[in-house]
């Protein structure tokens, strides 16, 4: 049975699409047949992050409205045979996403096409696209930056997950929640410029699945059309590999929480 995982947040710009792409790619590299769906109708960024924007012919809304089949709309990733992307529409209204249509697409991915993981890349906030992305979720990765407004908005999303998901409506076991902290800088935390991971965990009270350090490598990956997890020998790749391992039930030590200790000459010369 395929597992549906939504990557969500209340605030924009926290790295949801970067996270969706890297987690989907990480699962696919582990041998799982994985689909990642862009729910941000009208904007569409996932195809850029995945480096397949020129190959988009049909999109998620075309499939929902039965103008194209899933086989026609799914785009195979360039780097991994197990990974497929379902892009959003740039020309349709968000109201084109309906529970019936989205549910039919997810059921087909799960039951007829044999996908093992379905990653839903949610737009920010609580509009139609975001509500549709989280409605069918079995698990949720709530993504937040270490700042008060981002954490507050994430708390709002947790309330919606607990009340408006399909699992909440039908009285099933609740959506399993995970906290992912992105753009984290221990040095800035020490200076009082950011909330600490402990502060965020105290405020949101859900299990921490990972910390993604603040690094220019994320931007470099996005600009080259490559999920960050593919960037070998970088801290961001290692951080996302840790998140994927924890999603699969493996024990990994939580890293990237402490500021790098500078030696005497580094302090002396400011390097």
């Amino acid at each position: 049975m395929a597992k549906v995982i939504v990557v969500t947040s209340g605030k924009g710009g926290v790295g949801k699409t970067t996270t969706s792409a890297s987690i989907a790619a990480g699962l696919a590299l582990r041998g799982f047949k994985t689909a990642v769906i862009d729910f941000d109708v009208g904007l569409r960024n996932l195809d850029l992050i995945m480096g397949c924007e020129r190959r988009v012919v049909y999109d998620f809304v075309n499939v929902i409205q039965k103008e194209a089949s899933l086989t026609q709309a799914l785009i195979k990733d360039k780097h991994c045979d197990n990974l497929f992307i379902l892009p959003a529409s740039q020309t349709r209204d968000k109201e084109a996403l309906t529970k019936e249509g989205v549910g039919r697409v997810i059921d087909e991915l799960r039951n007829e096409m044999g996908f093992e993981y379905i990653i839903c890349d949610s737009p920010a906030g609580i509009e139609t696209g975001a509500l549709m992305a989280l409605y069918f979720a079995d698990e949720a990765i709530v993504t937040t930056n270490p700042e008060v407004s981002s954490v507050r908005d994430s708390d709002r999303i947790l309330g919606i997950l607990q009340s408006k998901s399909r699992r909440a409506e039908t009285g099933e076991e609740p959506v399993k929640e995970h906290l992912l902290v992105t753009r984290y800088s221990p040095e800035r935390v020490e200076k009082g410029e950011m909330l600490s991971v402990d502060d965020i965990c105290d405020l949101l009270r859900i299990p921490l699945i990972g910390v993604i350090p603040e690094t220019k490598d994320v931007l470099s990956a996005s600009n080259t059309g490559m999920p960050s997890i593919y960037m070998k020998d970088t801290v961001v790749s290692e951080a996302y590999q840790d998140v994927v391992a924890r999603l699969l039930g493996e024990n990994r030590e939580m890293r990237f929480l402490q500021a790098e200790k500078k030696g005497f000459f580094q302090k002396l010369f400011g390097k």
Side-chain angles (χ1 to χ4, degrees):
M1 176 68 95
K3 188 171 287 185
V4 180
I5 302 174
V6 63
V7 179
T8 183
S9 76
K11 192 173 184 291
V14 300
K16 286 185 302 300
T17 300
T18 295
T19 295
S20 297
S22 287
I23 287 176
L27 289 166
L29 289 170
R30 289 292 199 100
F32 297 99
K33 189 176 181 182
T34 305
V36 56
I37 307 175
D38 190 348
F39 278 79
D40 203 354
V41 174
L43 291 177
R44 196 172 87 190
N45 287 312
L46 180 65
D47 56 310
L48 289 170
I49 299 292
M50 303 294 293
C52 63
E53 68 277 9
R54 293 188 185 90
R55 291 191 282 153
V56 176
V57 178
Y58 295 109
D59 57 53
F60 191 15
V61 173
N62 290 139
V63 178
I64 286 174
Q65 297 187 345
K66 300 184 179 180
E67 298 163 347
S69 67
L70 261 176
T71 305
Q72 290 175 293
L74 284 170
I75 301 170
K76 191 174 184 179
D77 183 61
K78 297 174 183 177
H79 306 281
C80 185
D81 289 343
N82 290 321
L83 180 58
F84 295 80
I85 302 98
L86 183 55
S89 170
Q90 284 185 308
T91 59
R92 307 294 182 94
D93 189 87
K94 289 179 172 60
E95 302 305 317
L97 299 178
T98 63
K99 282 184 185 177
E100 180 186 8
V102 173
R104 178 173 51 80
V105 170
I106 288 176
D107 284 345
E108 187 175 343
L109 288 168
R110 172 189 278 142
N111 300 324
E112 296 176 34
M113 303 191 75
F115 281 92
E116 295 167 279
Y117 282 93
I118 301 166
I119 309 300
C120 301
D121 180 26
S122 172
I126 54 174
E127 43 79 24
T128 302
L131 294 176
M132 287 296 104
L134 66 80
Y135 183 76
F136 294 95
D138 300 309
E139 300 190 25
I141 297 175
V142 180
T143 311
T144 186
N145 289 160
E147 56 184 64
V148 173
S149 62
S150 182
V151 174
R152 180 195 62 194
D153 290 347
S154 293
D155 207 19
R156 172 72 172 138
I157 289 296
L158 287 170
I160 292 170
L161 276 167
Q162 293 159 10
S163 60
K164 292 193 174 184
S165 66
R166 179 184 55 80
R167 286 176 169 267
E169 283 185 2
T170 58
E172 296 177 57
E173 191 174 318
V175 175
K176 187 175 182 180
E177 299 159 346
H178 308 279
L179 172 62
L180 181 69
V181 180
T182 56
R183 297 180 181 169
Y184 192 73
S185 168
E187 291 82 7
R188 293 181 64 189
V189 171
E190 287 186 355
K191 294 175 183 176
E193 297 173 358
M194 282 183 173
L195 295 173
S196 70
V197 164
D198 288 341
D199 291 334
I200 299 167
C201 290
D202 284 344
L203 289 165
L204 295 180
R205 298 286 177 176
I206 60 173
L208 180 69
I209 198 168
V211 174
I212 310 300
E214 189 173 47
T215 168
K216 293 178 182 177
D217 290 330
V218 173
L219 181 61
S220 298
S222 298
N223 287 340
T224 54
M226 179 188 297
S228 299
I229 201 168
Y230 286 151
M231 297 191 72
K232 293 181 179 179
D233 303 319
T234 63
V235 292
V236 67
S237 176
E238 291 178 14
Y240 277 119
Q241 288 176 48
D242 286 353
V243 172
V244 170
R246 295 185 192 107
L247 265 179
L248 296 173
E250 299 174 18
N251 289 321
R252 289 281 179 101
E253 180 185 357
M254 199 65 66
R255 298 192 284 169
F256 314 113
L257 299 178
Q258 305 298 325
E260 184 181 347
K261 300 297 181 184
K262 291 186 177 181
F264 173 76
F265 289 105
Q266 286 178 305
K267 291 178 182 178
L268 187 63
F269 295 106
K271 293 183 180 179

